[in-house]
Amino acid sequence: MNKNSSGINTPPFRRRLLVLLTAFLVQGSALAEDTAPSITVSAEPVTDGEAPDRTAMDAAVVKRSRAATSDTASMLKNIPGVMTYSAGGVSSLPVIHGLADDRLRVKVDGMDLISACGNHMNPPLSYIDPTSVSNAQVFAGITPVSVGGDSIGGAILVDSPDPEFAQPGAGLLTKGEVGATYRSNGNVRGGNVKATIANENLSLTYRGSTIKADDYKAGGAFKPAGPAAAGREWLDADEVGSTYYDSTNHALDIGLRNGNHLFELTLGLQDISDQGYPNQRMDMTGNDSTQINFGYKGDFDWGSLDARAYREHTRHKMQFGDDKLFWYGPNPPAPNTDGVPCTPAGGGAGCAAGMPMDTEGDNLGLQVKAEIPLSLRDMLRVGGEVQRYRLDDWWEPAGKGMWPDAFININDGQRDRLALFAEWEAQWTPQWLTQFGLRGERVSMDAGEVQGYNTTSAQYAAESAAFNAADRDKTDNNLDLTALARFTPDRNRSIEFGYARKTRSPNLYERYAWSTGGMAMRMINMAGDGNGYVGNLDLEPEIAHTLSATFDWHAADGKEWGLKLTPYFTYVDDYIDAKRCASANMNCGAANQTATNAFVYLQFVNQSARLYGLDISGHYPLAKGTRFGRFTARGALSYVRGENRDTGDNLYNIMPLNAKLAVEQQYGGWTNAIEVELVDSKDDVSSVRNELETDSYALLHLRGSYEWKQLRLDFGVENLFDKFYNHPLGGAYTGQGKTMSGTGVAWGTPVPGMGRSLYAGVNYSF
């Protein structure tokens, strides 16, 4: 039996998790039997009022998470079935049951945001800072059609606080808070401020936050120490290059309340001046976003109406950051002479001054939803959505074969959605609830003509001519339907089960990225695997068929103890995976077809896929009323398996078996926890991508908080023993060196996880 570098034998590790799972199930069954020996029928509904198949993040957990992370997506990792792909420090990509990124419907304050980048460096959750999060909801199984469409893997809804108003007759309400955060690993320092002034009908709130970090360090050396690249600064052997970031967010919220009607206008502004990416060949050197979000909620005699109109504009820039080679060519200027012109003639002849890449996205949306009680039993939800999205992606020439033209990657990319839905929810008896939904969606896509850097490149000329001559106007007519039932025999047990058919159309990069040039393909990578990708005009929408069930045993109050078990199965027709590109050019030749230990070049293609898995979570009181307070055990275990049914290959970036076990203490204003995180080795990897395997590992975390009337203190230690590990969803390390060259960074190094980090956050309310 082989022991891996983390010191955990893989088979015993799995056996321990299975023993834990068995004990958990036995305990949960015993609790259910002790507290509910028979099925009872009462005169009142015994449902808890929660939306079917929804997990809401506890408000206390939201508060505790803010000091430990700068990344809103990572706040959701304690929800069973939710993981994150590693990316920038404020921009990781959420995963639900093995499906990630655009396969999820992610809404921020009701807005359907879209990543305007070929590397998806600006995903939706990067537009809200953790200190601005008020609540988060995750639909991990059967997602209602009223929550959203154009997705196959679930939904995430994250919201900032609702407007606050003064109590009637209480005069003017003035309140606010200020906070600061520090984390040792990466020298992370941040601050946030919030101020509100309101009367009974009008509310004005400002929220601002800023966070800045240096490169973080792993739990041990994983590469030689030395300059990050020629002319760049030194990186230690344990320093993970391109993991720095600097982000600032502002929001002004105006609320107007008139009887049963609430109007809200939010103006948002984001400035990410720098964000490194350890698993991408470029870095973000600017992301400026402006948001206008207008919402309305009203109650009427016939029901309620919820409407929203928004616009989000993004100006996104990429370049080589501080840890990646900037000057390319045989005769680059000396370090620290960035002002030397890099032209076909003169001192900079033959060199390239980096590789500027620019993106501009414009996103307009309108949503209307009505809830109409048809009877005491029946609720009808109907509504519609319109979204208009425009994208331009161009790369200005910087020398060395690029002159004289800009490379047009996506020209006037268009992706417009029109959707209508209806959803019927019925409480047939106090024990039985059903929900049926139908959603029709029309997705229209198009893109203008493109060009390469210059006409002297035969490859650029031939490929752009073929693309421009092709039919680029695509329309998908998509259909979603859901059927879900919840049975609640008594106050201690419930089961939810159902089926969903969900559809997602390709994004603009999957359809319209056109060049098989090496540099151009390496710029299209939403997976963080170091490979290059090219689009496919013939892609069809993905259609997912999901079966899911949740068995829930819990105390009558829903809080004292609980155990949940969720098995699921998803089959995806026309799953957008990848195959090795094949053509006459050097990048897609014979060597690309057979390479097993190198970065490769791929094309997006439709295939079929299957995913299945299991989530288990629970909590149980160990002791209460002691002189040291209350002690609660908490645990979660997740397993997912993903397979390509056409090729027999494994799906990319599937999280292996993992578990979290914690003991939490509550004593007065104190909340303390010790948590063990266990992750199995990742052996089932994607061969077509040459995905890297990772070893199993175990981490120990300590967390604490104390809350006074106006002051809150959060503190803790992540990875207490400074354990070295490679995160299974971290991707391939391309965080330093000559990253744009096909052979400039070595294949075979995963992105290491963070070593020991002490953190503290303080927040004062007034």
Side-chain angles (χ1 to χ4, degrees):
M1 185 179 295
N2 294 326
K3 179 179 282 190
N4 57 47
S5 61
S6 68
I8 297 178
N9 292 321
T10 299
F13 172 78
R14 289 179 176 150
R15 284 200 295 269
R16 285 196 291 271
L17 286 179
L18 290 174
V19 169
L20 170 67
L21 168 60
T22 303
F24 222 166
L25 288 173
V26 170
Q27 180 66 53
S29 299
L31 284 168
E33 291 173 2
D34 290 344
T35 57
S38 63
I39 295 177
T40 61
V41 178
S42 63
E44 297 295 330
V46 295
T47 56
D48 57 11
E50 290 290 325
D53 219 4
R54 182 196 72 163
T55 301
M57 193 171 177
D58 185 79
V61 177
V62 172
K63 290 182 179 180
R64 288 199 297 269
S65 302
R66 291 169 178 167
T69 183
S70 306
D71 175 34
T72 296
S74 69
M75 298 174 71
L76 307 173
K77 289 191 296 183
N78 286 328
I79 295 178
V82 179
M83 302 292 168
T84 59
Y85 283 8
S86 297
V90 300
S91 302
S92 69
L93 303 173
V95 188
I96 298 177
H97 293 166
L99 298 170
D101 200 9
D102 280 352
R103 293 190 169 104
L104 308 180
R105 172 53 51 214
V106 182
K107 294 189 177 185
V108 177
D109 284 330
M111 297 183 292
D112 278 325
L113 301 180
I114 298 175
S115 183
C117 172
N119 301 147
H120 279 198
M121 291 183 173
N122 43 21
L125 291 181
S126 68
Y127 288 102
I128 182 169
D129 184 81
T131 61
S132 292
V133 174
S134 173
N135 63 80
Q137 303 175 59
V138 174
F139 293 82
I142 309 302
T143 305
V145 296
S146 59
V147 173
D150 197 29
S151 59
I152 63 172
I156 297 173
L157 314 181
V158 174
D159 296 303
S160 56
D162 291 330
E164 295 183 81
F165 298 91
Q167 294 296 321
L172 202 63
L173 170 68
T174 57
K175 61 184 300 186
E177 60 184 58
V178 293
T181 300
Y182 179 77
R183 296 192 287 277
S184 63
N185 199 331
N187 188 30
V188 184
R189 53 274 187 206
N192 60 280
V193 62
K194 177 183 175 182
T196 296
I197 181 170
N199 59 23
E200 297 178 28
N201 303 111
L202 184 64
S203 175
L204 181 66
T205 297
Y206 166 77
R207 298 188 308 274
S209 63
T210 185
I211 194 80
K212 185 177 178 66
D214 303 327
D215 289 339
Y216 73 74
K217 294 194 174 183
F222 68 100
K223 57 181 175 60
R232 296 299 198 178
E233 295 185 357
W234 184 276
L235 289 184
D236 293 332
D238 61 349
E239 187 170 352
V240 183
S242 299
T243 53
Y244 56 85
Y245 53 88
D246 187 352
S247 175
T248 300
N249 291 274
H250 303 276
L252 181 65
D253 189 79
I254 304 169
L256 176 64
R257 183 174 63 182
N258 182 17
N260 294 329
H261 306 279
L262 174 64
F263 302 86
E264 184 178 5
L265 175 64
T266 301
L267 307 176
L269 177 66
Q270 181 185 78
D271 175 23
I272 299 181
S273 58
D274 284 294
Q275 186 173 196
Y277 283 76
N279 58 7
Q280 296 289 355
R281 296 173 182 270
M282 302 286 282
D283 299 306
M284 178 190 291
T285 55
N287 197 82
D288 297 316
S289 169
T290 56
Q291 302 170 9
I292 302 174
N293 187 6
F294 177 75
Y296 166 78
K297 294 180 181 179
D299 293 327
F300 301 88
D301 293 338
W302 52 264
S304 64
L305 183 66
D306 191 333
R308 184 169 304 278
Y310 60 88
R311 180 184 182 184
E312 192 271 331
H313 181 268
T314 298
R315 185 70 169 82
H316 175 69
K317 298 181 180 181
M318 292 192 297
Q319 209 5 315
F320 301 118
D322 293 341
D323 296 331
K324 295 169 182 171
L325 184 67
F326 185 80
W327 292 103
Y328 279 71
N331 184 30
N336 303 320
T337 59
D338 290 2
V340 174
C342 193
T343 61
C351 73
M355 196 169 294
M357 298 185 172
D358 293 84
T359 308
E360 185 171 12
D362 193 69
N363 183 12
L364 288 168
L366 174 65
Q367 306 166 2
V368 179
K369 180 171 68 174
E371 285 197 353
I372 307 170
L374 301 178
S375 67
L376 292 176
R377 186 193 71 183
D378 302 300
M379 172 71 74
L380 177 65
R381 300 182 184 95
V382 294
E385 298 181 23
V386 178
Q387 185 177 43
R388 176 187 180 275
Y389 182 64
R390 297 293 180 267
L391 176 73
D392 285 294
D393 189 332
W394 72 100
W395 312 338
E396 295 290 345
K400 197 186 178 186
M402 302 179 195
W403 306 103
D405 301 315
F407 187 103
I408 306 300
N409 189 35
I410 291 182
N411 178 26
D412 190 27
Q414 303 175 23
R415 194 177 193 276
D416 299 332
R417 296 169 50 222
L418 174 64
L420 296 173
F421 67 84
E423 187 173 273
W424 170 43
E425 185 173 303
Q427 186 79 55
W428 296 94
T429 70
Q431 288 73 40
W432 280 100
L433 177 144
T434 60
Q435 184 187 88
F436 299 95
L438 184 67
R439 183 184 184 100
E441 191 144 350
R442 184 181 179 89
V443 181
S444 302
M445 299 174 63
D446 202 354
E449 295 188 353
V450 298
Q451 65 181 34
Y453 279 116
N454 55 67
T455 57
T456 60
S457 168
Q459 181 179 339
Y460 284 157
E463 290 185 329
S464 62
F467 180 88
N468 294 338
D471 180 10
R472 303 182 300 277
D473 188 355
K474 306 291 181 178
T475 299
D476 302 326
N477 293 304
N478 301 332
L479 179 68
D480 291 357
L481 61 90
T482 60
L484 182 143
R486 177 164 62 191
F487 176 55
T488 310
D490 51 57
R491 294 188 180 276
N492 296 105
R493 292 175 291 177
S494 69
I495 176 175
E496 289 184 359
F497 53 94
Y499 163 79
R501 181 192 194 272
K502 293 286 188 174
T503 313
R504 178 189 81 98
S505 289
N507 64 42
L508 288 172
Y509 289 100
E510 289 169 332
R511 263 194 174 145
Y512 295 122
W514 58 274
S515 176
T516 60
M519 179 276 294
M521 295 185 76
R522 287 189 289 274
M523 286 300 92
I524 308 302
N525 186 307
M526 294 161 276
D529 58 7
N531 299 314
Y533 291 80
V534 66
N536 186 342
L537 284 171
D538 296 324
L539 287 179
E540 297 292 333
E542 298 176 323
I543 301 175
H545 304 270
T546 297
L547 293 170
S548 177
T550 296
F551 302 87
D552 188 349
W553 299 269
H554 52 266
D557 64 359
K559 298 178 181 179
E560 184 73 9
W561 60 267
L563 175 66
K564 282 188 177 183
L565 176 69
T566 303
Y568 56 88
F569 176 88
T570 297
Y571 187 91
V572 188
D573 289 317
D574 290 321
Y575 181 86
I576 299 177
D577 208 331
K579 69 175 183 179
R580 304 281 176 96
C581 67
S583 68
N585 75 66
M586 59 180 295
N587 300 312
C588 299
N592 186 62
Q593 301 299 312
T594 58
T596 59
N597 59 352
F599 295 116
V600 292
Y601 297 98
L602 303 149
Q603 183 177 31
F604 296 113
V605 292
N606 288 122
Q607 294 170 330
S608 62
R610 180 176 67 186
L611 300 100
Y612 55 90
L614 177 70
D615 295 328
I616 303 174
S617 62
H619 63 279
Y620 184 73
L622 299 175
K624 52 185 178 180
T626 74
R627 64 174 183 167
F628 297 108
R630 177 187 178 93
F631 292 84
T632 303
R634 300 184 184 277
L637 180 146
S638 293
Y639 173 77
V640 60
R641 182 81 171 89
E643 303 168 339
N644 186 310
R645 299 296 295 158
D646 287 1
T647 66
D649 198 6
N650 300 298
L651 298 186
Y652 174 71
N653 244 9
I654 298 296
M655 186 72 179
L657 180 67
N658 63 94
K660 292 180 180 178
L661 305 172
V663 175
E664 182 181 278
Q665 177 206 22
Q666 292 178 310
Y667 179 72
W670 286 100
T671 300
N672 303 305
I674 179 170
E675 180 184 85
V676 177
E677 181 179 351
L678 304 168
V679 178
D680 200 0
S681 57
K682 184 173 74 170
D683 307 315
D684 298 321
V685 294
S686 171
S687 298
V688 71
R689 290 175 168 84
N690 288 342
E691 183 182 4
L692 302 173
E693 296 185 356
T694 58
D695 290 335
S696 59
Y697 58 88
L699 306 177
L700 183 65
H701 314 298
L702 302 178
R703 302 186 179 94
S705 64
Y706 189 83
E707 190 166 8
W708 290 268
K709 185 176 181 180
Q710 293 177 278
L711 186 67
R712 178 183 178 89
L713 177 65
D714 294 281
F715 54 90
V717 184
E718 300 285 298
N719 192 359
L720 177 65
F721 296 116
D722 202 24
K723 183 75 175 179
F724 178 83
Y725 68 100
N726 294 313
H727 195 284
L729 307 186
Y733 184 62
T734 56
Q736 65 183 89
K738 194 175 182 180
T739 59
M740 191 44 61
S741 169
T743 58
V745 289
W747 176 89
T749 303
V751 176
M754 186 179 291
R756 182 191 299 115
S757 182
L758 285 71
Y759 71 86
V762 61
N763 204 78
Y764 177 72
S765 302
F766 55 89

